[in-house]
Tab-separated table of all heavy atoms in Angstrom:
chain	number	residue	atom	x	y	z
A	491	THR	N	27.010	-41.899	-42.251
A	491	THR	CA	26.157	-42.402	-43.321
A	491	THR	C	25.078	-41.368	-43.599
A	491	THR	O	24.713	-40.576	-42.731
A	491	THR	CB	25.508	-43.747	-42.961
A	491	THR	OG1	24.748	-43.597	-41.773
A	491	THR	CG2	26.556	-44.825	-42.771
A	492	MET	N	24.588	-41.400	-44.816
A	492	MET	CA	23.612	-40.421	-45.259
A	492	MET	C	22.629	-41.117	-46.185
A	492	MET	O	23.046	-41.836	-47.092
A	492	MET	CB	24.356	-39.309	-46.004
A	492	MET	CG	23.540	-38.222	-46.541
A	492	MET	SD	24.702	-37.036	-47.308
A	492	MET	CE	23.545	-35.903	-47.982
A	493	LYS	N	21.331	-40.937	-45.957
A	493	LYS	CA	20.323	-41.496	-46.844
A	493	LYS	C	20.004	-40.466	-47.921
A	493	LYS	O	19.701	-39.315	-47.612
A	493	LYS	CB	19.070	-41.880	-46.073
A	493	LYS	CG	19.311	-43.074	-45.185
A	493	LYS	CD	18.047	-43.555	-44.540
A	493	LYS	CE	18.400	-44.763	-43.674
A	493	LYS	NZ	17.226	-45.360	-43.073
A	494	VAL	N	20.132	-40.905	-49.174
A	494	VAL	CA	19.870	-40.049	-50.325
A	494	VAL	C	19.072	-40.862	-51.350
A	494	VAL	O	18.794	-42.044	-51.133
A	494	VAL	CB	21.182	-39.526	-50.953
A	494	VAL	CG1	21.922	-38.614	-49.997
A	494	VAL	CG2	22.074	-40.672	-51.385
A	495	TYR	N	18.746	-40.234	-52.457
A	495	TYR	CA	17.998	-40.902	-53.517
A	495	TYR	C	18.817	-40.900	-54.794
A	495	TYR	O	19.514	-39.933	-55.090
A	495	TYR	CB	16.669	-40.185	-53.773
A	495	TYR	CG	15.685	-40.385	-52.654
A	495	TYR	CD1	15.726	-39.575	-51.521
A	495	TYR	CD2	14.731	-41.388	-52.706
A	495	TYR	CE1	14.834	-39.766	-50.484
A	495	TYR	CE2	13.838	-41.589	-51.670
A	495	TYR	CZ	13.893	-40.771	-50.566
A	495	TYR	OH	13.019	-40.965	-49.535
A	496	VAL	N	18.713	-41.991	-55.538
A	496	VAL	CA	19.290	-42.065	-56.870
A	496	VAL	C	18.139	-42.208	-57.865
A	496	VAL	O	17.139	-42.856	-57.573
A	496	VAL	CB	20.291	-43.234	-57.030
A	496	VAL	CG1	21.535	-42.997	-56.197
A	496	VAL	CG2	19.665	-44.565	-56.678
A	497	ALA	N	18.286	-41.565	-59.014
A	497	ALA	CA	17.259	-41.646	-60.049
A	497	ALA	C	17.936	-41.595	-61.415
A	497	ALA	O	18.796	-40.748	-61.653
A	497	ALA	CB	16.256	-40.507	-59.916
A	498	ARG	N	17.547	-42.514	-62.283
A	498	ARG	CA	18.084	-42.534	-63.650
A	498	ARG	C	17.164	-41.711	-64.542
A	498	ARG	O	15.951	-41.878	-64.521
A	498	ARG	CB	18.173	-43.964	-64.158
A	498	ARG	CG	18.881	-44.086	-65.505
A	498	ARG	CD	18.995	-45.530	-65.949
A	498	ARG	NE	19.807	-46.324	-65.057
A	498	ARG	CZ	21.126	-46.472	-65.130
A	498	ARG	NH1	21.797	-45.843	-66.074
A	498	ARG	NH2	21.772	-47.240	-64.269
A	499	ASP	N	17.758	-40.832	-65.337
A	499	ASP	CA	16.941	-40.032	-66.250
A	499	ASP	C	16.755	-40.768	-67.571
A	499	ASP	O	17.285	-41.862	-67.773
A	499	ASP	CB	17.514	-38.621	-66.435
A	499	ASP	CG	18.885	-38.597	-67.089
A	499	ASP	OD1	19.270	-39.598	-67.739
A	499	ASP	OD2	19.574	-37.574	-66.969
A	500	LYS	N	16.001	-40.171	-68.479
A	500	LYS	CA	15.714	-40.818	-69.759
A	500	LYS	C	16.977	-41.051	-70.583
A	500	LYS	O	17.025	-41.958	-71.396
A	500	LYS	CB	14.712	-39.995	-70.548
A	500	LYS	CG	13.307	-40.129	-70.041
A	500	LYS	CD	12.362	-39.403	-70.968
A	500	LYS	CE	10.932	-39.782	-70.676
A	500	LYS	NZ	10.016	-39.158	-71.609
A	501	ALA	N	17.992	-40.233	-70.393
A	501	ALA	CA	19.251	-40.378	-71.131
A	501	ALA	C	20.144	-41.460	-70.535
A	501	ALA	O	21.178	-41.800	-71.100
A	501	ALA	CB	19.995	-39.053	-71.161
A	502	GLY	N	19.771	-42.008	-69.362
A	502	GLY	CA	20.553	-43.062	-68.731
A	502	GLY	C	21.496	-42.589	-67.644
A	502	GLY	O	22.197	-43.402	-67.041
A	503	CYS	N	21.531	-41.292	-67.383
A	503	CYS	CA	22.421	-40.753	-66.342
A	503	CYS	C	21.765	-40.916	-64.973
A	503	CYS	O	20.553	-40.808	-64.833
A	503	CYS	CB	22.697	-39.283	-66.591
A	503	CYS	SG	23.506	-38.969	-68.162
A	504	ILE	N	22.602	-41.155	-63.956
A	504	ILE	CA	22.119	-41.305	-62.585
A	504	ILE	C	22.415	-40.019	-61.810
A	504	ILE	O	23.553	-39.560	-61.756
A	504	ILE	CB	22.811	-42.481	-61.865
A	504	ILE	CG1	22.500	-43.797	-62.559
A	504	ILE	CG2	22.440	-42.518	-60.395
A	504	ILE	CD1	21.234	-44.462	-62.144
A	505	GLY	N	21.365	-39.470	-61.231
A	505	GLY	CA	21.514	-38.290	-60.391
A	505	GLY	C	21.370	-38.660	-58.926
A	505	GLY	O	20.654	-39.599	-58.580
A	506	LEU	N	22.059	-37.936	-58.085
A	506	LEU	CA	21.996	-38.121	-56.638
A	506	LEU	C	21.224	-36.935	-56.068
A	506	LEU	O	21.532	-35.780	-56.387
A	506	LEU	CB	23.424	-38.154	-56.082
A	506	LEU	CG	23.655	-38.586	-54.657
A	506	LEU	CD1	23.286	-40.058	-54.473
A	506	LEU	CD2	25.115	-38.383	-54.282
A	507	TYR	N	20.227	-37.223	-55.234
A	507	TYR	CA	19.338	-36.197	-54.696
A	507	TYR	C	19.238	-36.312	-53.184
A	507	TYR	O	19.208	-37.419	-52.647
A	507	TYR	CB	17.924	-36.346	-55.276
A	507	TYR	CG	17.866	-36.211	-56.767
A	507	TYR	CD1	18.149	-37.285	-57.597
A	507	TYR	CD2	17.529	-35.002	-57.352
A	507	TYR	CE1	18.095	-37.168	-58.981
A	507	TYR	CE2	17.463	-34.867	-58.727
A	507	TYR	CZ	17.759	-35.952	-59.536
A	507	TYR	OH	17.703	-35.832	-60.895
A	508	ARG	N	19.137	-35.182	-52.511
A	508	ARG	CA	18.982	-35.186	-51.057
A	508	ARG	C	17.607	-35.714	-50.657
A	508	ARG	O	17.470	-36.472	-49.705
A	508	ARG	CB	19.199	-33.785	-50.480
A	508	ARG	CG	19.209	-33.790	-48.941
A	508	ARG	CD	19.276	-32.409	-48.367
A	508	ARG	NE	18.011	-31.747	-48.675
A	508	ARG	CZ	17.843	-30.447	-48.718
A	508	ARG	NH1	18.848	-29.651	-48.496
A	508	ARG	NH2	16.676	-29.920	-48.991
A	509	ASP	N	16.572	-35.303	-51.364
A	509	ASP	CA	15.203	-35.745	-51.123
A	509	ASP	C	14.687	-36.423	-52.384
A	509	ASP	O	15.271	-36.273	-53.461
A	509	ASP	CB	14.315	-34.547	-50.782
A	509	ASP	CG	14.828	-33.787	-49.559
A	509	ASP	OD1	15.041	-34.430	-48.510
A	509	ASP	OD2	15.021	-32.566	-49.665
A	510	ALA	N	13.581	-37.131	-52.266
A	510	ALA	CA	13.022	-37.844	-53.415
A	510	ALA	C	12.627	-36.856	-54.514
A	510	ALA	O	11.813	-35.962	-54.279
A	510	ALA	CB	11.823	-38.673	-52.992
A	511	PRO	N	13.201	-36.988	-55.722
A	511	PRO	CA	12.807	-36.109	-56.814
A	511	PRO	C	11.441	-36.511	-57.360
A	511	PRO	O	10.974	-37.629	-57.130
A	511	PRO	CB	13.898	-36.342	-57.861
A	511	PRO	CG	14.352	-37.739	-57.615
A	511	PRO	CD	14.235	-37.940	-56.127
A	512	THR	N	10.813	-35.593	-58.042
A	512	THR	CA	9.524	-35.869	-58.674
A	512	THR	C	9.674	-35.699	-60.177
A	512	THR	O	10.660	-35.148	-60.657
A	512	THR	CB	8.430	-34.923	-58.145
A	512	THR	OG1	8.859	-33.578	-58.332
A	512	THR	CG2	8.173	-35.154	-56.669
A	513	TRP	N	8.682	-36.142	-60.912
A	513	TRP	CA	8.722	-36.048	-62.363
A	513	TRP	C	8.239	-34.691	-62.823
A	513	TRP	O	7.341	-34.121	-62.244
A	513	TRP	CB	7.811	-37.091	-62.989
A	513	TRP	CG	8.069	-38.479	-62.563
A	513	TRP	CD1	8.659	-38.909	-61.414
A	513	TRP	CD2	7.708	-39.644	-63.275
A	513	TRP	NE1	8.684	-40.258	-61.377
A	513	TRP	CE2	8.097	-40.745	-62.508
A	513	TRP	CE3	7.080	-39.873	-64.474
A	513	TRP	CZ2	7.896	-42.043	-62.919
A	513	TRP	CZ3	6.875	-41.173	-64.883
A	513	TRP	CH2	7.295	-42.234	-64.110
A	514	ARG	N	8.841	-34.203	-63.861
A	514	ARG	CA	8.395	-32.963	-64.488
A	514	ARG	C	7.671	-33.353	-65.772
A	514	ARG	O	8.171	-34.134	-66.564
A	514	ARG	CB	9.578	-32.063	-64.817
A	514	ARG	CG	9.162	-30.777	-65.471
A	514	ARG	CD	10.307	-29.882	-65.852
A	514	ARG	NE	11.599	-30.386	-65.450
A	514	ARG	CZ	12.676	-29.659	-65.357
A	514	ARG	NH1	12.641	-28.391	-65.648
A	514	ARG	NH2	13.819	-30.174	-64.993
A	515	TRP	N	6.495	-32.817	-65.962
A	515	TRP	CA	5.682	-33.128	-67.142
A	515	TRP	C	5.844	-32.023	-68.173
A	515	TRP	O	5.891	-30.849	-67.831
A	515	TRP	CB	4.217	-33.259	-66.749
A	515	TRP	CG	3.999	-34.349	-65.755
A	515	TRP	CD1	4.085	-34.254	-64.396
A	515	TRP	CD2	3.699	-35.700	-66.028
A	515	TRP	NE1	3.848	-35.469	-63.815
A	515	TRP	CE2	3.594	-36.380	-64.792
A	515	TRP	CE3	3.485	-36.426	-67.197
A	515	TRP	CZ2	3.302	-37.736	-64.694
A	515	TRP	CZ3	3.194	-37.775	-67.089
A	515	TRP	CH2	3.107	-38.415	-65.858
A	516	ASN	N	5.893	-32.398	-69.439
A	516	ASN	CA	5.945	-31.374	-70.481
A	516	ASN	C	4.527	-31.006	-70.913
A	516	ASN	O	3.550	-31.544	-70.392
A	516	ASN	CB	6.809	-31.820	-71.665
A	516	ASN	CG	6.255	-33.029	-72.384
A	516	ASN	OD1	5.062	-33.330	-72.325
A	516	ASN	ND2	7.116	-33.744	-73.076
A	517	LYS	N	4.399	-30.105	-71.857
A	517	LYS	CA	3.080	-29.612	-72.279
A	517	LYS	C	2.233	-30.693	-72.946
A	517	LYS	O	1.026	-30.577	-73.025
A	517	LYS	CB	3.243	-28.426	-73.214
A	517	LYS	CG	3.813	-27.209	-72.517
A	517	LYS	CD	4.004	-26.069	-73.468
A	517	LYS	CE	4.653	-24.901	-72.731
A	517	LYS	NZ	4.883	-23.766	-73.608
A	518	LEU	N	2.874	-31.764	-73.429
A	518	LEU	CA	2.136	-32.849	-74.075
A	518	LEU	C	1.612	-33.868	-73.063
A	518	LEU	O	0.930	-34.815	-73.417
A	518	LEU	CB	3.031	-33.563	-75.100
A	518	LEU	CG	3.556	-32.681	-76.243
A	518	LEU	CD1	4.530	-33.464	-77.109
A	518	LEU	CD2	2.398	-32.153	-77.075
A	519	GLY	N	1.969	-33.672	-71.803
A	519	GLY	CA	1.500	-34.570	-70.765
A	519	GLY	C	2.345	-35.815	-70.587
A	519	GLY	O	1.928	-36.781	-69.958
A	520	THR	N	3.553	-35.807	-71.150
A	520	THR	CA	4.462	-36.933	-70.952
A	520	THR	C	5.603	-36.506	-70.030
A	520	THR	O	5.888	-35.316	-69.883
A	520	THR	CB	5.038	-37.448	-72.288
A	520	THR	OG1	5.704	-36.369	-72.946
A	520	THR	CG2	3.933	-37.978	-73.184
A	521	ILE	N	6.253	-37.486	-69.441
A	521	ILE	CA	7.333	-37.207	-68.496
A	521	ILE	C	8.525	-36.613	-69.233
A	521	ILE	O	8.983	-37.153	-70.226
A	521	ILE	CB	7.756	-38.491	-67.774
A	521	ILE	CG1	6.585	-39.060	-66.993
A	521	ILE	CG2	8.947	-38.234	-66.867
A	521	ILE	CD1	6.809	-40.473	-66.527
A	522	GLU	N	9.014	-35.513	-68.713
A	522	GLU	CA	10.179	-34.874	-69.305
A	522	GLU	C	11.445	-35.325	-68.592
A	522	GLU	O	12.396	-35.758	-69.213
A	522	GLU	CB	10.032	-33.361	-69.223
A	522	GLU	CG	11.109	-32.604	-69.940
A	522	GLU	CD	10.814	-31.117	-69.952
A	522	GLU	OE1	9.716	-30.723	-70.348
A	522	GLU	OE2	11.715	-30.369	-69.540
A	523	ASP	N	11.474	-35.217	-67.271
A	523	ASP	CA	12.652	-35.601	-66.509
A	523	ASP	C	12.399	-35.408	-65.024
A	523	ASP	O	11.333	-34.987	-64.617
A	523	ASP	CB	13.869	-34.781	-66.931
A	523	ASP	CG	15.129	-35.636	-67.032
A	523	ASP	OD1	15.212	-36.647	-66.312
A	523	ASP	OD2	16.004	-35.293	-67.828
A	524	TRP	N	13.422	-35.681	-64.218
A	524	TRP	CA	13.342	-35.507	-62.769
A	524	TRP	C	13.656	-34.071	-62.399
A	524	TRP	O	14.454	-33.416	-63.047
A	524	TRP	CB	14.355	-36.416	-62.071
A	524	TRP	CG	14.099	-37.848	-62.317
A	524	TRP	CD1	14.815	-38.672	-63.137
A	524	TRP	CD2	13.065	-38.650	-61.771
A	524	TRP	NE1	14.286	-39.924	-63.132
A	524	TRP	CE2	13.201	-39.944	-62.289
A	524	TRP	CE3	12.017	-38.407	-60.896
A	524	TRP	CZ2	12.344	-40.984	-61.959
A	524	TRP	CZ3	11.161	-39.445	-60.563
A	524	TRP	CH2	11.339	-40.708	-61.096
A	525	PHE	N	13.037	-33.603	-61.323
A	525	PHE	CA	13.392	-32.284	-60.804
A	525	PHE	C	13.047	-32.246	-59.315
A	525	PHE	O	12.487	-33.193	-58.771
A	525	PHE	CB	12.703	-31.154	-61.581
A	525	PHE	CG	11.288	-30.878	-61.192
A	525	PHE	CD1	10.957	-29.692	-60.568
A	525	PHE	CD2	10.282	-31.796	-61.453
A	525	PHE	CE1	9.637	-29.427	-60.216
A	525	PHE	CE2	8.967	-31.539	-61.111
A	525	PHE	CZ	8.647	-30.354	-60.491
A	526	ASP	N	13.357	-31.152	-58.691
A	526	ASP	CA	13.225	-31.004	-57.240
A	526	ASP	C	14.103	-32.030	-56.535
A	526	ASP	O	15.011	-32.563	-57.117
A	526	ASP	CB	11.766	-31.132	-56.780
A	526	ASP	CG	10.985	-29.843	-56.981
A	526	ASP	OD1	11.620	-28.806	-57.231
A	526	ASP	OD2	9.761	-29.895	-56.893
A	527	GLY	N	13.822	-32.297	-55.291
A	527	GLY	CA	14.604	-33.266	-54.546
A	527	GLY	C	15.979	-32.774	-54.145
A	527	GLY	O	16.753	-33.528	-53.585
A	528	CYS	N	16.301	-31.549	-54.454
A	528	CYS	CA	17.617	-30.970	-54.170
A	528	CYS	C	18.727	-31.809	-54.817
A	528	CYS	O	19.389	-32.611	-54.173
A	528	CYS	CB	17.863	-30.803	-52.674
A	528	CYS	SG	19.350	-29.840	-52.329
A	529	PHE	N	18.904	-31.615	-56.117
A	529	PHE	CA	19.935	-32.316	-56.889
A	529	PHE	C	21.309	-32.048	-56.293
A	529	PHE	O	21.661	-30.903	-56.011
A	529	PHE	CB	19.887	-31.847	-58.345
A	529	PHE	CG	20.975	-32.419	-59.192
A	529	PHE	CD1	20.894	-33.717	-59.663
A	529	PHE	CD2	22.085	-31.663	-59.515
A	529	PHE	CE1	21.893	-34.250	-60.454
A	529	PHE	CE2	23.096	-32.187	-60.304
A	529	PHE	CZ	23.005	-33.489	-60.775
A	530	LEU	N	22.089	-33.115	-56.099
A	530	LEU	CA	23.434	-32.976	-55.545
A	530	LEU	C	24.501	-33.094	-56.621
A	530	LEU	O	25.362	-32.238	-56.749
A	530	LEU	CB	23.665	-34.023	-54.454
A	530	LEU	CG	22.736	-33.932	-53.244
A	530	LEU	CD1	22.923	-35.129	-52.326
A	530	LEU	CD2	22.969	-32.628	-52.497
A	531	THR	N	24.462	-34.186	-57.399
A	531	THR	CA	25.482	-34.414	-58.420
A	531	THR	C	25.086	-35.597	-59.290
A	531	THR	O	24.172	-36.347	-58.949
A	531	THR	CB	26.861	-34.681	-57.775
A	531	THR	OG1	27.864	-34.690	-58.789
A	531	THR	CG2	26.885	-35.998	-57.036
A	532	TYR	N	25.774	-35.760	-60.396
A	532	TYR	CA	25.651	-36.976	-61.187
A	532	TYR	C	26.715	-37.955	-60.713
A	532	TYR	O	27.790	-37.544	-60.280
A	532	TYR	CB	25.862	-36.696	-62.682
A	532	TYR	CG	24.677	-36.036	-63.328
A	532	TYR	CD1	24.734	-34.704	-63.713
A	532	TYR	CD2	23.508	-36.743	-63.569
A	532	TYR	CE1	23.647	-34.089	-64.316
A	532	TYR	CE2	22.410	-36.144	-64.164
A	532	TYR	CZ	22.493	-34.821	-64.534
A	532	TYR	OH	21.414	-34.223	-65.118
A	533	ILE	N	26.415	-39.245	-60.795
A	533	ILE	CA	27.384	-40.271	-60.437
A	533	ILE	C	27.461	-41.274	-61.585
A	533	ILE	O	26.591	-41.297	-62.452
A	533	ILE	CB	27.031	-40.970	-59.106
A	533	ILE	CG1	25.637	-41.583	-59.179
A	533	ILE	CG2	27.121	-39.998	-57.950
A	533	ILE	CD1	25.253	-42.364	-57.941
A	534	LEU	N	28.478	-42.092	-61.591
A	534	LEU	CA	28.641	-43.077	-62.654
A	534	LEU	C	27.462	-44.034	-62.664
A	534	LEU	O	27.150	-44.659	-61.654
A	534	LEU	CB	29.939	-43.860	-62.464
A	534	LEU	CG	31.234	-43.074	-62.645
A	534	LEU	CD1	32.433	-43.941	-62.288
A	534	LEU	CD2	31.344	-42.577	-64.076
A	535	SER	N	26.817	-44.143	-63.802
A	535	SER	CA	25.631	-44.997	-63.895
A	535	SER	C	25.971	-46.471	-63.719
A	535	SER	O	25.119	-47.262	-63.332
A	535	SER	CB	24.906	-44.759	-65.214
A	535	SER	OG	25.757	-45.021	-66.300
């Protein structure tokens, strides 16, 4: 067994991450998407 993180992006896709991802902010100060966390793959939402 392996503990991982799942996170849905703004487009509705689910990403699988080794560590907890954090939010990336754009220049306007709004959330752009997830990053870091060592992205592994996308899985069926």
Side-chain angles (χ1 to χ4, degrees):
T491 58
M492 180 178 176
K493 290 186 180 184
V494 295
Y495 289 84
V496 292
R498 187 178 297 272
D499 64 19
K500 284 186 167 184
C503 299
I504 298 274
L506 191 66
Y507 300 83
R508 187 186 68 202
D509 302 307
T512 55
W513 305 24
R514 180 182 357 198
W515 300 87
N516 64 23
K517 292 178 183 179
L518 299 175
T520 57
I521 299 166
E522 186 174 308
D523 222 332
W524 298 106
F525 81 112
D526 279 347
C528 190
F529 175 78
L530 298 172
T531 189
Y532 284 109
I533 57 176
L534 293 174
S535 59

